[in-house]
Amino acid sequence: MRTTRYYAKTKRGQEPETVDVSPLGGQRYAVTYLGAKHELESLVLPHGAVSLIIDGESYAVEFEEVGDEVRVLVKGQVTKVDVADERKMRMRAAGGSFTVEGKQTIAAPMPGKVVKVFVKVGDTVTEGQGIVVVEAMKMENELKSPKAGKVVEVAAVEGTAVENGAKLVVVE
Amino acid sequence: MRTTRYYAKTKRGQEPETVDVSPLGGQRYAVTYLGAKHELESLVLPHGAVSLIIDGESYAVEFEEVGDEVRVLVKGQVTKVDVADERKMRMRAAGGSFTVEGKQTIAAPMPGKVVKVFVKVGDTVTEGQGIVVVEAMKMENELKSPKAGKVVEVAAVEGTAVENGAKLVVVE
Amino acid sequence: MAPRFKRVLVANRGEIAIRVMRTCRELGLSTVAVYSEADRSALHVRQADQAYCVGPPPSRESYLSQDAILDAAKKAKADAIHPGYGFLSENASFVRACDAAGIAFIGPPASAMDAMGEKTRARAHMVKANVPVVPGATEPFKTLEEARAFAEKVGFPVMLKAAGGGGGKGMRRIEKMADFESGWRAAKSEAMSSFGNDAVYLEKYLDQPHHVEIQVFADGQGNCIHLNERECSAQRRHQKVIEETPSPILNPTLRAQMGDVAVRAAKSVGYIGAGTVEFLVDSTRSFYFLEMNTRLQVEHPVTEWVTGLDLVRWQLDVAQGARLPFLEPLHPRGHSIEARVYAEDPGQNFMPSPGRIDYLRIPGGPYVRDDSGVYAGYEVPRFYDPMISKLSVWAPTRPEAIARLDRALSEYVVKGITTNLRYLRRILQHPDFVKGDYDTGFLPRAHDQLLGGDDAKLTEVAVLAAAVYAQQRAEKAATKISAATATGTQGSMWRHGRQR
Amino acid sequence: MAPRFKRVLVANRGEIAIRVMRTCRELGLSTVAVYSEADRSALHVRQADQAYCVGPPPSRESYLSQDAILDAAKKAKADAIHPGYGFLSENASFVRACDAAGIAFIGPPASAMDAMGEKTRARAHMVKANVPVVPGATEPFKTLEEARAFAEKVGFPVMLKAAGGGGGKGMRRIEKMADFESGWRAAKSEAMSSFGNDAVYLEKYLDQPHHVEIQVFADGQGNCIHLNERECSAQRRHQKVIEETPSPILNPTLRAQMGDVAVRAAKSVGYIGAGTVEFLVDSTRSFYFLEMNTRLQVEHPVTEWVTGLDLVRWQLDVAQGARLPFLEPLHPRGHSIEARVYAEDPGQNFMPSPGRIDYLRIPGGPYVRDDSGVYAGYEVPRFYDPMISKLSVWAPTRPEAIARLDRALSEYVVKGITTNLRYLRRILQHPDFVKGDYDTGFLPRAHDQLLGGDDAKLTEVAVLAAAVYAQQRAEKAATKISAATATGTQGSMWRHGRQR
């Protein structure tokens, strides 16, 4: 039974913890995590659902992918988990991704309409300062700066529609 | 606007009726069937569902495929429709399929267990005579001969499990 | 009485397992599921806090395996076992095994089950308690010959019945002596596979009786009440399809009489918990004891609708020593009807249709209750009962309840397997049902009417829909092909696989 | 009175359109849907008997377009229009246009709507009818300067409100003068896009009042009754999230007083049909008229649960000239709570999250009602209100109702978009809610508690699940690759697309 090592973290910036997974045949696995060993039975169902039995305890788990992370829904709680295997960890180390300080992009969190842009290129902003207002579903939503810094790019134009994830403003 | 001719029938043995379909752009079509012309708007949704608006009337339609036929669910009624285009009609004419008199196969209508086989090769049977009993979901279901004739093959074995569609007995 | 249960094992599957777990969760009780190998993906496994496999697919080796279920209860540290209906719910030896293991069985004591569990013994008890019974045998037959002789004496038609069962399984109506042997064989075989007991007896077949049952509830302090009746005459293959309360054929006097007799029957065997006394009511409105189901009934939701009670909660409370909260008769409020949604084909003699549910949309809105045990993507296994859901409604009056249930059924979408949804709607729309004048012969009598007669307009819509669907798939295929190879053709549309 | 409607157009979308159509179908009335171009795939279009497109996605050009809707009604030969809530439901000019077209508007007469529709005019009417009102302006402001001056006079905090609206849209609480201009701008802009009318006025902001409303019903013969209250103090961004009846803070005396005042308010404007009189109740249990919603309320299901009524049916009956079926006060039976399921992210200041619903599983079981307007596979459009469903329950007592709703919410699965499901459960579990002691400041005050604190055990389960899921996908990919090319590698598991 070959053991595969995974690296998992549930918070940005956190050091990943190791998760060792050994197949026990069928859909059963021995998993060592945070110093404890568990026996898991994981049945993959349609639509990204998994029925998990951990040492006799039953969990209805739902998975959704968001970029590199997976969002895991268990008993109402959504946990974002970033899982990588050894190869992926090496690639990350080489590529130097996940060093995201510096430039911060404020992106549209949903499709909507830009109703107000409060800043222009060159403005100095404080953390939490209102930058853009996007209207969707009859509600106006103010997007705030994630950091103190300077506005280096303004892509948002008042009155225009934007797609989910569209770049609005970049703060450095 | 090129018109495509389809041939549709809703009953076995019936002569197909022509259905002429002309695209009107988007999801709209002009359709001539049984001498009447209709304007249809057909929106294909996930999971084989279609929202159909025919001359202002709204129909929630669900499609399921069963071999060459499609089962169409509208307002609780399931209609089996066999639709072919010209090319398929020519192939059918050449291949001579759909001339199914003669040998008749009694197949398992669901997965289950053969609990009783009443006939052996060479037996003469009458139409409606019980041939095989298949148990599924705690109910015993007797399958009957579709015609009077002679048993030419018995594939069913008492006590064995059978899959949906498995050949059980052939009557000629 | 202080609640003492912390963890309840539900020794069942499907909708009833989920029903019981729902109440447990509302009471803060932890739940334990058991499952056969065929049920690893079932919803009740996912909704429980713990889950244990109890054996291979056939029920005899899993859901009927007393040792496996008690082992699971011990592993899970369950205080109590709720048996649901069917399986071990009416098995007195299992009750004794629970008692011996120090685990509470949520149901009547073994002695009451002994008295009522064997149909023939129950009949004898009832005769003693002065409860009217259907003419017939008072014990199972040892041999086919003995059974034949008795049938001859009582006169055809007769009803062969599993002594150890219920719920329409292991029952065969026999019209004439020529059919006796095959019916005997079928009844015994079904009885064995359903109840692990092939004892069979027979009763005179009453001419088109109504099937009316009384819900009773008894606590451990000697109190017993009834919670009115349920009309269950809409049956196919001796299984209930639609149930309602109040019964359209009962008046307050008859209701009170039947209620009294039902309470007397329960008291005569020292009953505790939820039980149902089933009666046949003939055309003169005489009623006869048929059997007592010593567990929760499939159709309990209609009683809940008109009383506001949670019968599973009452079961849990009584099992923990509580007294009944009231003893006066409860007047039903409004009307409730339940329809059982089966994975079966009414057009093929109700042939079960197990398989994968590709898409599922369940009705909602005012006064509609869904109790289902399945989900979109679920593979309905071939080993168990084909009921996938119970849909029930409440309304102030019977006509409104019929209209509401018909409306709700019109919203129900199940794809991938054949169901009886349309058949159910046809029943609700049938004049005899609408009048409230239907007996147990209704569904067989009306069978052709309930199946036949496609609406010409809808058939036309289906053809138009199918032709345009073919056209749209051809267009899509042509676009794909021309994009890839710049040569577009079109052929059989239905063989390209579904468009998603 | 003989029913005279044959065909009803529902000038709305989403769950309320479906709610209205359900009752129509039960009554045998044919239904007509209208839809914007963004709603071609919406459920209400599929459930109606006829459907007409009324314009492009923005409501102003479709659901608020009186001409387009009346055109559709004429084409469909509808006898009546049910407006639902929002959109044209409180638009007196639309009522007049319906009257002129000879199509029944299911709602109050235009005159009553005039009197109550503009918030400021309504306040003036109420003062005249001796109904207590919240201190504030009696008419909309013409200019920002005028508004500023009034705010200064009344004293901060103040509440800016759309004169022509309701439902929490176009409302802004302003703490200090420095925030006044941006709040003013936002309120006017929301008021315009929601109601087609940017008139805004202001009221003194009461310190943490309760929001309690009374359901009233009046017929065309001068009869008017109230159907008890709903407690609606659980609000985020001035929109109701959870509603219940009875209110935990009302006693029978206060209920009777508020009911009398509500009936007086309705009678003073010649009201007909279903309406809701909203009050603020302060810490001394003094109550003030806030506004009257001259249409069916989102939260009407909780009133239906405790009364057994179908309020949409009453609306249809009254619109066809029927008298109210009873005039005595109706005592509520048990307790009901409703939770609004929104496509939004409570952790991101309730940012809406439109998008495709990949999978949907709706709760069921005893005394659970779902009113949803969506289906699995549906793309929630970004143009309209983010509410996708209302889940309501009934139970004999408030604690049981809370437990039941929490249980039901635990079964709810919506995938593909972010919802407030967990937030709703956290509210139900919060001590202040459990005690029944919460005012309109509750949700903002408890915001961090309601969001924070992941359970460490569940986080661990999530990691274990994710690691094994990655492993299973790697195994599956390896099998596929080795089968195809006999060389297996594995990399990022999450980028292979979903496993189906």
Side-chain angles (χ1 to χ4, degrees), chain A residues 46-47, chain B residues 45-50 61-64 73, chain C residues 355-362 374-379 388 411-417 419 421 498 500, chain D residues 41 43 46 356-360 362 374-379:
Chain A
H47 307 287
Chain B
L45 298 164
H47 307 288
V50 166
V61 180
E62 306 281 345
F63 286 96
E64 286 183 300
L73 173 71
Chain C
R356 188 183 137 116
I357 296 177
D358 291 328
Y359 191 75
L360 183 65
R361 192 143 48 78
I362 287 172
V374 299
Y375 57 89
Y378 178 63
E379 177 100 22
I388 57 171
E411 299 175 5
Y412 217 126
V413 179
V414 183
K415 292 175 72 172
I417 58 174
T419 66
L421 282 165
R498 295 194 191 175
R500 297 261 159 173
Chain D
S41 64
L43 196 56
R46 296 161 75 194
R356 188 183 137 114
I357 296 177
D358 290 328
Y359 191 74
L360 183 65
I362 286 172
V374 299
Y375 57 90
Y378 178 62
E379 176 100 20

Side-chain angles (χ1 to χ4, degrees), chain A residues 2 4 6 8 10 19 21 23 27 29 31 33-34 38 40 42-45 47-50 52 54 57 59 61-65 67-79 81-83 85 87-88 109-113 116 118 135-141 143 161, chain D residues 59 169 172 185-186 189-190 193-194 236-237 239 343 349-354 358-359 361 380-386 413 415-418 422 425 454-455 457-475 490-495 497-500:
Chain A
R2 199 173 69 86
T4 308
Y6 291 91
T10 55
V19 191
V21 178
Q27 52 218 19
Y29 298 87
V31 183
Y33 175 57
L34 300 178
H38 304 275
L40 266 78
S42 170
L43 174 67
V44 178
L45 298 163
H47 307 287
V50 166
L52 203 68
I54 309 178
E57 291 180 1
Y59 295 93
V61 181
E62 306 280 345
F63 287 96
E64 286 184 300
E65 287 164 58
D68 250 2
E69 290 178 334
V70 63
R71 306 208 307 180
V72 187
L73 173 71
V74 189
K75 289 192 195 287
Q77 178 174 310
V78 177
T79 309
V81 186
D82 180 348
V83 177
D85 60 13
R87 179 168 160 275
K88 194 168 165 188
M110 72 219 144
K113 198 174 101 183
K116 192 77 200 162
F118 294 116
E135 186 198 280
M137 298 175 125
K138 301 278 144 219
M139 299 291 279
E140 300 198 344
N141 304 282
L143 305 181
Chain D
S59 349
K169 303 284 171 62
R172 279 291 185 284
R185 204 173 44 221
S189 149
E190 268 186 39
S193 74
S194 297
R236 61 111 187 91
R237 290 179 85 161
Q239 275 205 301
N349 196 25
F350 306 100
M351 185 89 73
S353 90
D358 290 328
Y359 191 74
R361 192 143 48 79
V380 179
R382 67 181 176 87
F383 298 98
Y384 315 107
D385 190 278
V413 179
K415 293 175 72 172
I417 58 173
T418 303
R422 189 194 188 199
R425 292 189 66 194
D454 275 2
D455 180 284
K457 172 86 183 279
L458 295 182
T459 303
E460 190 184 331
V461 169
V463 170
L464 296 176
V468 168
Y469 193 53
Q471 170 73 17
Q472 288 179 306
R473 295 176 62 150
E475 288 171 12
Q490 60 185 71
S492 162
M493 288 311 114
W494 308 124
R495 284 187 169 148
R498 296 194 192 174
Q499 179 169 349
R500 296 263 158 170

Side-chain angles (χ1 to χ4, degrees), chain B residues 14-71:
Chain B
Q14 187 194 38
E15 269 307 297
E17 299 279 351
T18 59
V19 191
D20 292 331
V21 179
S22 316
L24 299 175
Q27 52 216 19
R28 292 184 313 116
Y29 298 86
V31 183
T32 306
Y33 175 58
L34 300 178
K37 193 168 175 178
H38 304 276
E39 193 176 318
L40 266 78
E41 199 201 316
S42 169
L43 174 67
V44 178
L45 298 164
H47 307 288
V50 166
S51 172
L52 204 67
I53 299 180
I54 308 178
D55 310 321
E57 291 181 2
S58 175
Y59 295 93
V61 180
E62 306 281 345
F63 286 96
E64 286 183 300
E65 287 164 56
V66 187
D68 249 2
E69 290 179 335
V70 64
R71 305 206 307 179

Side-chain angles (χ1 to χ4, degrees), chain C residues 415-487:
Chain C
K415 292 175 72 172
I417 58 174
T418 302
T419 66
N420 65 336
L421 282 165
R422 188 194 188 196
Y423 176 78
L424 291 170
R425 293 190 65 192
R426 288 291 187 92
I427 296 172
L428 296 176
Q429 294 160 2
H430 192 283
D432 290 357
F433 187 87
V434 171
K435 265 184 288 177
D437 183 14
Y438 62 99
D439 53 49
T440 50
F442 164 53
L443 292 190
R445 251 188 339 263
H447 191 69
D448 291 343
Q449 280 171 286
L450 295 172
L451 288 181
D454 275 0
D455 179 283
K457 174 84 183 279
L458 295 182
T459 304
E460 190 183 331
V461 169
V463 170
L464 295 176
V468 169
Y469 194 52
Q471 170 74 15
Q472 288 179 306
R473 294 176 64 152
E475 288 170 12
K476 196 171 167 182
T479 311
K480 270 192 193 155
I481 291 168
S482 68
T485 68
T487 67

Side-chain angles (χ1 to χ4, degrees), chain D residues 93-117:
Chain D
S93 85
F94 183 61
V95 179
R96 293 200 172 85
C98 289
D99 292 349
I103 295 171
F105 176 86
I106 298 170
S111 54
M113 211 179 260
D114 278 336
M116 287 297 194

Side-chain angles (χ1 to χ4, degrees), chain D residues 45-233:
Chain D
V45 175
R46 296 161 75 194
Q47 294 213 340
D49 296 312
Q50 292 179 62
Y52 293 91
C53 184
V54 289
S59 349
R60 238 172 308 164
E61 301 168 47
S62 49
Y63 296 108
L64 288 169
S65 166
Q66 303 189 16
D67 288 347
I69 285 169
L70 282 170
D71 275 356
K74 285 171 199 159
K75 254 188 264 175
K77 300 194 171 57
D79 315 296
I81 293 180
H82 193 300
Y85 51 69
F87 296 135
L88 293 170
S89 62
E90 303 190 82
N91 188 315
S93 85
F94 183 61
V95 179
R96 293 200 172 85
C98 289
D99 292 349
I103 295 171
F105 176 86
I106 298 170
S111 54
M113 211 179 260
D114 278 336
M116 287 297 194
E118 281 267 345
K119 298 278 147 71
T120 43
R121 203 177 305 149
R123 287 164 57 83
H125 266 282
M126 290 307 102
V127 170
K128 225 188 300 171
N130 231 354
V131 169
V133 301
V134 180
T138 46
E139 56 190 65
F141 300 110
K142 297 211 174 55
T143 64
L144 171 60
E145 287 62 41
E146 195 187 327
R148 271 188 204 273
F150 195 93
E152 193 106 77
K153 201 180 70 187
V154 171
F156 286 94
V158 298
M159 190 69 117
L160 277 172
K161 294 189 167 184
K169 303 284 171 62
M171 279 172 70
R172 279 291 185 284
R173 173 182 164 170
I174 316 282
E175 296 295 333
K176 53 185 194 296
M177 191 52 87
D179 302 337
F180 198 87
E181 187 172 350
S182 72
W184 167 264
R185 204 173 44 221
K188 278 187 99 67
S189 149
E190 268 186 39
M192 189 52 161
S193 74
S194 297
F195 314 110
N197 172 355
D198 76 347
V200 165
Y201 74 108
L202 72 75
E203 285 172 7
K204 172 83 186 146
Y205 184 81
L206 289 186
D207 188 30
Q208 304 182 344
H210 286 255
H211 179 123
V212 179
E213 60 187 28
I214 302 283
Q215 174 74 52
V216 296
F217 230 107
D219 64 23
Q221 282 88 51
N223 303 304
C224 182
I225 59 169
H226 76 88
L227 297 169
N228 305 307
E229 81 282 5
R230 291 180 290 258
E231 167 73 58
C232 308
S233 300

